[in-house]
């Protein structure tokens, strides 16, 4: 009997959490050698959300853009998507103004 890969990944994560949890997305990604995106999909399929305190993947991309590219574009994206990035506070607090 073949099992769909998504179902198998979800079951593997469920068993990992039962044996070793709690753990972070990074912990599971390291152990499985999967991308964080794949780990998060497996967690979602298990009905589990990543532990509080983990930053969304998109925040790193925006920070990299600010450091290596156009800071004004990065700050605009940060302001526009702050709720989806899990950021609280005012935009001024993030900008340091």
């Amino acid at each position: 009997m073949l099992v769909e890969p998504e179902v198998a990944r979800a079951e593997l994560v469920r068993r990992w959490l039962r044996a070793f949890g709690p753990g972070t997305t990074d912990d599971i990604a390291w152990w499985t050698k999967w991308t964080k995106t794949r780990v998060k999909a497996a967690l979602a399929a298990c009905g589990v959300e990543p532990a509080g305190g983990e930053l969304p993947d998109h925040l790193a991309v925006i920070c990299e853009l600010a450091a290596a590219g156009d800071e004004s574009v990065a700050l605009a994206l940060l302001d526009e998507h702050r709720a989806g990035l899990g950021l609280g506070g005012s935009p001024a607090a993030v900008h340091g103004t």
Side-chain angles (χ1 to χ4, degrees), residues 3-95:
V3 177
E4 292 296 321
E6 296 81 14
V7 173
R9 283 192 287 270
E11 182 60 26
L12 183 62
V13 166
R14 188 177 294 111
R15 290 180 187 203
W16 188 94
L17 289 170
R18 191 175 320 127
F20 304 109
T24 66
T25 303
D26 285 334
D27 294 335
I28 299 168
W30 176 85
W31 186 77
T32 59
K33 306 302 184 237
W34 298 341
T35 64
K36 284 189 195 180
T37 301
R38 185 163 278 172
V39 170
K40 287 179 181 180
L43 286 168
C46 294
V48 176
E49 291 186 29
E54 287 193 44
L55 295 174
D57 294 337
H58 307 295
L59 183 58
V61 173
I62 292 173
C63 290
E64 175 127 1
L65 176 62
D70 187 338
E71 181 179 357
S72 64
V73 171
L75 292 175
L77 284 169
L78 191 60
D79 285 345
E80 183 180 345
H81 299 286
R82 62 186 308 97
L85 292 168
L87 300 173
S90 68
V94 175
H95 294 198

